[in-house]
Amino acid sequence: EDQVTQSPEALRLQEGESSSLNCSYTVSGLRGLFWYRQDPGKGPEFLFTLYSAGEEKEKERLKATLTKKESFLHITAPKPEDSATYLCAVQAGGKLIFGQGTELSVKP
Amino acid sequence: EAQVTQNPRYLITVTGKKLTVTCSQNMNHEYMSWYRQDPGLGLRQIYYSMNVEVTDKGDVPEGYKVSRKEKRNFPLILESPSPNQTSLYFCASRVRGEGQPQHFGDGTRLSIL
């Protein structure tokens, strides 16, 4: 069964304290792994797509990496405006399967 | 501005009263989809459509209907809503092809009493 698991469920950081979010997946025939950011009251906002093991992508303080079984979202020197829920999803055929998300809170 | 528009944004209704949530996109995307988001369960796909007149079930299709008569519109229909369909609903669209990111609307919060 295709499945996506994210950890931790919630993460509290001090401003400037770097950390990583994990996304483990099992899917038959990965067609893309996605990271989204979701702010309260809003729809998910696309961040990255990763297609194959070893691939890395960066955007400002965020860096996403991919292995054959998991993906990491590294946050370097986070700021309060990085506070949001981060969602991981995998494409399996026509479906998009989401993990439950990691709620990130960054305190000044 | 490229966007996915859902209406209504909020709705409180009663069990059994048919309702439709509309979704429209202005990006000429072939693929559209509906999700529901519940605490502890995350986003789950209800239905998706690869193109006009083509729809498929997602992981939680029971109690929902969809139609895709035009490329830009993908309404979600609850023929006889029940309280367990109280949720936050999102519509999304993307271009055809593997690995293409989906663009989401801002959501519709449904409360069914």
Side-chain angles (χ1 to χ4, degrees), chain A residues 18-55:
Chain A
S18 301
S19 188
S20 296
L21 282 54
N22 177 263
C23 171
S24 299
Y25 65 92
T26 54
V27 63
S28 51
L30 180 68
R31 288 171 170 78
L33 184 141
F34 304 86
W35 283 98
Y36 287 85
R37 169 191 171 126
Q38 186 175 23
D39 294 298
K42 294 283 191 178
E45 176 186 344
F46 170 71
L47 293 173
F48 304 108
T49 307
L50 301 167
Y51 296 97
S52 56
E55 190 174 0

Side-chain angles (χ1 to χ4, degrees), chain B residues 43-109:
Chain B
L43 275 158
R44 293 178 293 166
Q45 195 167 29
I46 303 170
Y47 270 96
Y48 62 97
S49 169
M50 295 281 205
N51 214 324
V52 176
E53 302 292 359
V54 179
T55 62
D56 276 300
K57 295 178 180 179
D59 292 322
V60 288
E62 296 78 19
Y64 304 95
K65 284 178 58 177
V66 293
S67 68
R68 187 90 183 274
K69 293 184 171 56
E70 304 167 280
K71 197 172 187 179
R72 63 182 294 129
N73 296 322
F74 190 44
L76 179 69
I77 302 157
L78 285 70
E79 294 270 5
S80 183
S82 62
N84 64 10
Q85 293 178 297
T86 293
S87 186
L88 179 58
Y89 291 84
F90 289 100
C91 180
S93 71
R94 64 167 170 83
V95 297
R96 178 171 41 199
E98 294 181 355
Q100 298 298 321
Q102 295 194 28
H103 301 263
F104 285 81
D106 280 338
T108 294
R109 186 166 291 282

